[in-house]
């Protein structure tokens, strides 16, 4: 008798426990959703509402402006230079850190994080100090006619500095988890180092690399602080989209400002959507490449 | 396989390797004859995998040298060493099919020596037949069982027509039944292909069953090298005796050609050594002597089934550990019974 009654007595208590869990779950979800709505969704919506406040005509007009177009072109150009460079340097750095043991490795790992911990404004200022007209190398470079600060090279340098960690940080933990075994196997089978990288390493890390590239690209296009310092904000020449938004906003041209801002916001949304789509489309492959 | 690959002798001379302050190998010398199947046996941390990696060229010895067919391996690239290496965790390329995995080594060759695609396909098929996995070309590693993966890894290593085959705990990750099957299969495969083979294992049963010779490694040093019978029947050191199968350790006094325990002689020591020593006796080398006329007396504490035979635990006064004794006679002693034990065979190691 007692045997039979025991589970029956335990059951309601178990159900109660689960109800407690359900209540806590609802509270937690509501909290998270409320926070996201207030601090993310609402501001994002306002960008589009403000941009379209005077209708499509004004919106498209603001985007067709010469300075706006120049800013869009410059932003795309900077990203087109900075992202591939970061792919090369990021993969090389992650490879060195994840697959090799060497003196000063922990220092290198901390250096990878440096751009994230340093204020972008400081990054920009450092480049001004180095390459500006009064800077350490500025005069020498100027005598050869090389302009870095207040020109494209400076903007690219500042963007590179700020966006470097995105690819390396995405790759390092994944490559460390994968270990060296497959590479070593490929080498014993007679493959060259380059072939091993292309045939074994790259296919294994391609998803992390892609995430890294998406994040790096989003940041390269959206970077403000470091670029603001080195660009000099010469309209139509050295203003990227974020700088252009700020200039327009300061001049009380809110429709134009939000129109350009909406493009940047759109880029963020497309990046997110692309990431989610890839995760959904290739879920099994991604899982397989993470499994050891 | 088309042409029988040429197997070469491997000579290891005084190989040492340190990792930080830890000496993984302390001067190991070993010669492997062409076509020989040698087991490198030892507990975890004994240096066996380190030695295998040195031979494969995945790591460099601090001192000593490794010769392939008389050529210093340091002068050979990994490709020129032509090592077929199989890792414990298989390490198949997970994004490639079985066929692409096996063909990897052939496709990685420089253009001049790379076989044409049709030939590669033919060889992949032949290798899959050899490892008894025909028709699995298009599968991915994740769709295979552990035993199948292991055989694909072996086929991939064999594809490059290796001069030496290195196997790192080849059956370590498999369950007992599959291990047994693969063991017999590997022995047959070796007889068929005749590669110089070195395999690492911590399983003494596996080493004794498979290998032509067994090299026993402990703490970075070779304890003994010999045929399975030689190392099992005539262990050179106490470690080898204890590691190859079970053995009871009895501390004894050596005097006048006798091993003396608790004041009475228990075993004929042979050599005329004196001083303290240890007598190692395997569980099946005891004989129950109900008369109690021998030097070793104890009380049966438990009797348990141990595979095909029954085994008794016998508590002996003066011994910290109970003796494991196989019951070989038809009449089993009862629990609690006082018995005498006669030692039919034992190994004495002086000074231990």
């Amino acid at each position: 008798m007692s045997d039979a009654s025991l589970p029956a007595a335990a059951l309601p208590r178990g159900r109660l426990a689960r109800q407690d869990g359900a209540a806590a779950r609802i509270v937690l979800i509501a909290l998270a959703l409320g926070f996201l709505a207030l601090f993310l969704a609402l501001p994002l919506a306002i960008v589009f509402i403000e941009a379209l406040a005077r209708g499509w005509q004004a919106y498209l007009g603001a985007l067709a402006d010469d300075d706006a177009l120049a800013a869009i072109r410059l932003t795309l150009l900077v990203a087109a230079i900075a992202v591939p460079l970061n792919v090369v340097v990021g993969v090389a750095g992650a490879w060195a850190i994840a697959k090799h043991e060497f003196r000063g490795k922990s220092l290198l790992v901390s250096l990878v994080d440096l751009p994230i911990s340093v204020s972008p404004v400081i990054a920009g200022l450092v480049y001004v100090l180095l390459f500006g007209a009064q800077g350490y190398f500025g005069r020498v470079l100027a005598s050869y006619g090389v302009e870095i600060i207040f020109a494209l090279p400076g903007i690219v340098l500042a963007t590179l500095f700020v966006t470097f960690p995105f690819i390396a940080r995405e790759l390092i933990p994944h490559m460390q988890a994968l270990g060296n075994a497959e590479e070593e196997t490929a080498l014993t089978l007679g493959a060259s180092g380059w072939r091993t990288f292309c045939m074994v390493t790259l296919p294994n890390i391609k998803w992390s690399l892609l995430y890294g590239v998406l994040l790096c690209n989003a940041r390269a296009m959206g970077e403000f602080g470091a670029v603001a310092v080195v660009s000099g904000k010469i309209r139509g020449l050295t203003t990227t989209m974020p700088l252009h938004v700020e200039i327009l906003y300061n001049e009380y041209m809110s429709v134009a400002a939000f129109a350009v801002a909406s493009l940047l916001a759109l880029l963020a949304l497309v990046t997110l959507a692309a990431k989610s789509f890839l995760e959904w489309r290739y879920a099994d492959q991604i899982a397989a490449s993470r499994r050891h | 396989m088309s042409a029988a690959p040429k197997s070469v002798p491997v000579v290891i001379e005084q190989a040492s390797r340190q990792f930080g302050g830890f000496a993984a190998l302390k001067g190991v010398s070993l010669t492997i004859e062409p076509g020989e199947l040698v087991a490198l046996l030892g507990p975890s941390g004994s240096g066996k995998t380190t030695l295998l990696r040195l031979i494969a060229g995945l790591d460099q010895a601090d001192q000593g040298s490794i010769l392939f067919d008389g050529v210093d391996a340091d002068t050979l690239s990994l490709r020129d060493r032509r090592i077929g290496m199989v890792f414990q965790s298989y390490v198949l390329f997970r994004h490639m099919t079985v066929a692409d995995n096996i063909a990897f080594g052939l496709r990685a060759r420089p253009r001049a020596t790379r076989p044409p695609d049709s030939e590669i396909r033919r060889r992949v098929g032949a290798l899959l037949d050899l490892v008894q996995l025909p028709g699995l070309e298009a599968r991915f590693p994740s769709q295979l069982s552990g035993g199948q993966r292991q055989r694909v890894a072996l086929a991939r290593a064999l594809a490059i027509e290796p001069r030496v085959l290195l196997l790192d705990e080849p059956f370590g990750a498999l369950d007992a039944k599959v291990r047994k099957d693969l063991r017999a299969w590997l022995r047959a495969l070796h007889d068929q292909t005749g590669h110089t083979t070195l395999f690492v294992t911590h399983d003494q049963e596996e080493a004794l069953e498979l290998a032509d010779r067994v090299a026993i490694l402990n703490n970075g040093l070779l304890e003994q090298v010999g045929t399975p019978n030689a190392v099992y029947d005539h262990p050179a050191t106490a470690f080898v005796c204890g590691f190859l199968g079970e053995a009871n350790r009895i501390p004894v006094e050596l005097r006048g050609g006798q091993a003396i325990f608790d004041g009475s002689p228990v075993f004929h020591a042979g050599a005329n050594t004196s001083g303290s020593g240890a007598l190692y006796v395997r569980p099946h080398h005891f004989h129950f002597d109900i008369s109690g006329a021998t030097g070793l007396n104890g009380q049966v504490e438990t009797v348990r089934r141990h595979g095909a035979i029954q085994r008794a635990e016998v508590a002996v006064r003066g011994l910290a550990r109970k003796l494991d004794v196989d019951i070989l006679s038809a009449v089993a002693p009862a629990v609690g019974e006082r018995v005498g034990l006669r030692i039919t065979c034992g190994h004495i190691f002086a000074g231990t």
Side-chain angles (χ1 to χ4, degrees):
Chain A
M1 267 314 281
S2 65
D3 276 345
S5 66
L6 196 76
L11 195 66
R13 235 184 300 149
R15 210 177 271 161
L16 257 180
R18 251 171 284 150
Q19 273 166 359
D20 278 0
R25 202 167 63 217
I26 289 167
V27 170
L28 284 173
I29 291 173
L31 250 162
L33 280 180
F35 183 86
L36 286 175
L38 194 62
F39 291 99
L40 283 175
L42 192 63
L44 203 59
I46 284 173
V47 169
F48 289 96
I49 290 166
E50 285 290 321
L52 293 167
R54 291 201 205 131
W56 284 95
Q57 214 68 40
Y59 178 77
L60 292 175
L63 291 182
D65 174 64
D66 278 347
D67 287 350
L69 285 176
I72 294 169
R73 264 198 300 274
L74 180 64
T75 303
L76 292 176
L77 179 63
V78 168
I81 299 170
V83 174
L85 273 174
N86 266 335
V87 169
V88 174
V89 179
V91 170
W95 173 280
I97 288 169
K99 309 258 172 181
H100 297 276
E101 288 301 326
F102 53 90
R103 215 180 270 262
K105 178 165 150 171
S106 53
L107 185 70
L108 188 60
V109 174
S110 332
L111 281 179
V112 169
D113 285 343
L114 188 70
I116 287 181
S117 47
V118 165
S119 161
V121 177
I122 293 170
L125 279 174
V126 168
Y127 284 114
V128 173
L129 278 175
L130 280 177
F131 302 117
Q134 315 298 322
Y136 288 96
F137 308 121
R139 223 160 294 170
V140 182
L141 289 168
S143 67
Y144 288 101
V146 179
E147 271 187 289
I148 290 183
I149 299 305
F150 307 149
L152 179 66
I155 298 174
V156 170
L157 277 177
T159 307
L160 273 176
F161 179 91
V162 172
T163 58
F164 170 70
F166 289 93
I167 290 175
R169 278 174 62 104
E170 193 71 32
L171 289 180
I172 290 167
H174 189 196
M175 285 170 101
Q176 274 173 336
L178 286 170
N180 275 339
E182 288 194 38
E183 279 81 6
E184 287 185 341
T185 307
L187 292 174
T188 63
L189 290 169
S192 63
W194 176 243
R195 190 181 170 83
T196 300
F197 177 74
C198 293
M199 300 292 294
V200 176
T201 310
L202 210 50
N204 277 338
I205 60 165
K206 65 183 173 195
W207 295 111
S208 324
L209 184 58
L210 193 65
Y211 292 163
V213 167
L214 285 173
L215 290 175
C216 177
N217 184 55
R219 184 65 194 266
M221 291 188 175
E223 173 54 25
F224 180 84
V227 172
V229 177
V230 296
S231 90
K233 297 184 194 169
I234 308 165
R235 279 180 98 155
L237 278 179
T238 65
T239 49
T240 58
M241 284 163 76
L243 299 182
H244 193 64
V245 170
E246 198 224 8
I247 291 171
L248 290 172
Y249 188 75
N250 286 343
E251 292 171 354
Y252 303 105
M253 299 169 73
S254 76
V255 167
F258 280 108
V260 179
S262 73
L263 276 188
L264 278 172
L266 216 56
L267 164 80
L269 292 177
V270 167
T271 303
L272 267 183
K275 188 171 182 262
S276 308
F277 173 77
L278 290 170
E279 273 174 351
W280 166 76
R281 175 73 181 73
Y282 297 102
D284 39 342
Q285 268 195 51
I286 293 167
S289 84
R290 301 235 168 209
R291 201 168 32 214
H292 195 52
Chain B
M1 310 241 342
S2 48
K6 184 174 173 283
S7 281
V8 299
V10 178
V11 178
I12 301 148
E13 282 172 353
Q14 290 299 320
S16 298
R17 181 73 173 102
Q18 289 239 349
F19 294 109
F22 173 71
L25 284 178
K26 305 168 188 164
V28 169
S29 299
L30 178 66
T31 300
I32 306 161
E33 305 296 337
E36 200 179 20
L37 181 59
V38 173
L40 209 51
L41 177 67
S44 322
S46 59
K48 49 197 197 306
T49 295
T50 303
L51 183 56
L52 205 68
R53 290 174 63 84
L54 293 184
I55 301 170
L58 293 171
D59 196 6
Q60 283 244 307
D62 298 326
Q63 266 154 40
S65 55
I66 293 163
L67 308 172
F68 285 83
D69 204 10
V71 180
D72 192 333
D74 277 349
T75 64
L76 298 172
S77 69
L78 256 73
R79 174 181 292 162
D80 295 332
R81 286 187 193 208
R82 293 252 305 279
I83 297 287
M85 178 112 183
V86 178
F87 295 87
Q88 177 178 8
S89 50
Y90 327 125
V91 200
L92 297 178
F93 304 125
R94 61 196 99 187
H95 58 277
M96 294 183 199
T97 61
V98 165
D100 287 341
N101 261 286
I102 296 173
F104 185 90
L106 295 173
R107 296 216 175 102
R109 285 188 188 170
R111 205 169 290 273
T113 54
R114 195 186 308 162
D117 254 6
S118 57
E119 167 68 10
I120 289 179
R121 255 196 306 278
R122 194 193 62 72
R123 269 207 242 174
V124 167
L127 281 162
L128 278 174
D129 287 343
L130 184 73
V131 298
Q132 297 169 4
L133 294 172
L136 292 191
E137 282 92 341
R139 297 269 190 96
F140 280 92
S142 57
Q143 298 167 311
L144 302 178
S145 73
Q148 288 174 326
R149 285 182 212 182
Q150 186 58 279
R151 282 184 278 169
V152 171
L154 191 59
R156 180 178 64 182
L158 291 172
I160 61 167
E161 296 177 326
R163 302 193 298 170
V164 178
L165 203 53
L166 302 177
L167 313 173
D168 188 2
E169 302 265 5
F171 312 123
L174 301 169
D175 60 63
K177 174 80 177 69
V178 182
R179 283 173 87 111
K180 273 225 142 76
D181 292 348
L182 274 185
R183 221 186 269 170
W185 169 80
L186 182 69
R187 180 72 238 187
L189 185 79
H190 179 262
D191 293 343
Q192 190 182 341
T193 57
H195 288 97
T196 307
T197 304
L198 184 64
F199 80 98
V200 156
T201 180
H202 63 267
D203 180 343
Q204 83 284 12
E205 206 184 304
E206 190 169 288
L208 294 173
E209 183 182 325
L210 257 180
D212 296 324
R213 280 194 305 151
V214 180
I216 296 134
L217 210 56
N218 183 33
N219 279 329
L221 286 168
L222 265 187
E223 296 264 340
Q224 193 177 3
V225 184
T227 63
N229 283 339
V231 293
Y232 190 84
D233 292 336
H234 308 287
T237 65
F239 173 81
V240 172
C241 187
F243 195 69
L244 293 176
E246 297 163 285
N248 297 288
R249 183 178 184 278
I250 305 168
V252 290
E253 194 70 31
L254 301 172
R255 209 184 314 132
Q258 289 289 333
I260 294 162
F261 173 75
D262 203 16
S264 40
V266 291
F267 189 66
H268 184 67
N272 219 347
T273 48
S274 59
S276 65
L279 173 63
Y280 281 74
V281 185
R282 301 204 186 282
H284 58 271
H285 286 149
F286 286 109
H287 220 85
F288 282 107
D289 210 337
I290 310 296
S291 68
T294 62
L296 217 50
N297 294 297
Q299 189 169 19
V300 177
E301 296 235 319
T302 59
V303 177
R304 288 213 174 82
R305 180 135 291 277
H306 198 265
I309 41 115
Q310 293 198 77
R311 175 169 291 180
E313 277 187 331
V314 179
V316 174
R317 202 160 53 90
L319 272 184
R321 286 194 58 166
K322 282 167 251 173
L323 296 178
D324 286 326
V325 180
D326 284 351
I327 300 169
L328 303 168
S329 56
V331 195
V335 173
E337 195 175 339
R338 294 205 62 83
V339 291
L341 292 170
R342 188 154 51 80
I343 297 166
T344 56
C345 178
H347 304 283
I348 288 171
F349 301 100
T352 51

